[in-house]
Amino acid sequence: MSNKLPNILLSSEIDFPSILVGDHLALDFTNTIAAPKGELIEWIGTGVDLLEWLFIVKVISSSERVLISSKWSSNDIDEVAREAREMREWFREIIVRIKDHGRGALMLSDIEKMNDLLSLEKIERYIEPGKNGEQIQLEARRLWNEPRELLVPIVSSMAELLAEGDLDLIRECKNEICTLWFYDRTKGHRRMWCSPTMCGNRAKVAAFRERQRIDLSDS
Ligand SMILES: [Zn+2]
């Protein structure tokens, strides 16, 4: 999806905050294009946007963001953002398909693509002394050897959801015109809306109007 399409606004241009209603990284990422106010907004339109989003969802630290921005050209990071947008639409299509037809509907080409992306993971493990000097902590950090490693935390989350997530709890907001996805972690698993204040309220208002309309036509 090109960020030059006239009908898509870039979140950075209109300063619209990220929508984080997914309760799962992979679904928050799926929600990085949406139309909460009617017009389509793209949160991953550029490489800078992608880094901002990864920082907001705590996938990269502020020092990692600085390191990454100084290490690679903006063209390189823009290219990763383009691939991330493509990956997002591929994943959205997979989610819809396996919700409808079960995990057996996952194609070999999907599995191969996901495994190719997962193989980009480069993590270095190291030990360091603990605070009191008596303990030793085992830590891990990403190496950030190449720009495409930025896709790995997102694709790992997608893979985890596909492998271990409960398909019934992966839901699209019940408002028909809303495209937001979430993972229902509520106790009774009755969550219906992306957010009670956005679509939940709209639905209540619509139901109220409908009741009034029926009352008026009755009288
Ligand atoms: Zn919604």
Side-chain angles (χ1 to χ4, degrees):
M1 191 179 294
S2 160
N3 57 40
K4 298 294 173 205
L5 289 174
N7 55 342
I8 299 182
L9 300 168
L10 291 185
S11 60
S12 50
E13 286 168 350
I14 55 168
D15 197 20
F16 202 101
S18 301
I19 298 177
L20 301 175
V21 297
D23 226 350
H24 193 289
L25 184 71
L27 296 175
D28 276 333
F29 181 70
T30 308
N31 294 338
T32 55
I33 187 162
K37 300 268 181 201
E39 281 169 301
L40 212 49
I41 303 174
E42 170 63 82
W43 277 269
I44 311 286
T46 66
V48 170
D49 292 344
L50 175 64
L51 293 183
E52 169 75 7
W53 189 82
L54 290 171
F55 172 69
I56 287 171
V57 297
K58 298 188 169 64
V59 163
I60 59 171
S61 65
S62 58
S63 58
E64 282 179 301
R65 178 156 70 158
V66 172
L67 170 84
I68 290 162
S69 306
S70 64
K71 208 170 172 180
W72 300 313
S73 71
S74 57
N75 277 352
D76 285 345
I77 307 176
D78 282 349
E79 179 52 30
V80 178
R82 189 200 55 74
E83 191 174 350
R85 294 193 297 274
E86 225 174 69
M87 199 169 86
R88 179 183 64 195
E89 300 317 312
W90 164 68
F91 182 68
R92 187 192 314 277
E93 193 269 319
I94 289 178
I95 287 292
V96 171
R97 186 162 14 110
I98 67 168
K99 283 278 293 174
D100 287 348
H101 305 288
R103 285 185 163 92
L106 199 64
M107 293 187 292
L108 188 59
S109 57
D110 296 324
I111 294 171
E112 284 172 354
K113 180 172 174 163
M114 188 140 292
N115 286 342
D116 277 351
L117 289 162
L118 286 169
S119 73
L120 295 168
E121 174 113 69
K122 299 285 181 302
I123 283 184
E124 178 179 67
R125 306 191 85 193
Y126 60 99
I127 56 169
E128 63 180 18
K131 284 197 179 88
N132 65 8
E134 282 301 312
Q135 289 168 335
I136 294 177
Q137 286 169 218
L138 178 59
E139 304 283 356
R141 66 184 156 219
R142 293 184 190 279
L143 292 177
W144 305 121
N145 282 336
E146 60 158 317
R148 289 181 79 224
E149 279 173 52
L150 288 167
L151 301 173
V152 173
I154 303 167
V155 83
S156 295
S157 179
M158 290 173 172
E160 181 266 318
L161 190 64
L162 291 182
E164 295 163 9
D166 182 333
L167 294 186
D168 285 339
L169 303 186
I170 302 173
R171 301 203 186 127
E172 197 170 15
C173 177
K174 215 161 180 271
N175 179 356
E176 277 181 14
I177 59 160
C178 179
T179 59
L180 296 174
W181 288 85
F182 57 84
Y183 195 77
D184 181 6
R185 297 183 197 271
T186 62
K187 226 174 175 182
H189 300 312
R190 293 201 189 94
R191 182 174 167 191
M192 292 193 287
W193 315 107
C194 60
S195 130
T197 52
M198 287 200 286
C199 292
N201 262 355
R202 271 184 225 159
K204 268 187 219 152
V205 171
F208 176 72
R209 288 208 181 118
E210 179 65 8
R211 274 198 305 275
Q212 276 192 324
R213 196 182 62 80
I214 292 167
D215 287 350
L216 285 172
S217 60
D218 283 352
S219 59

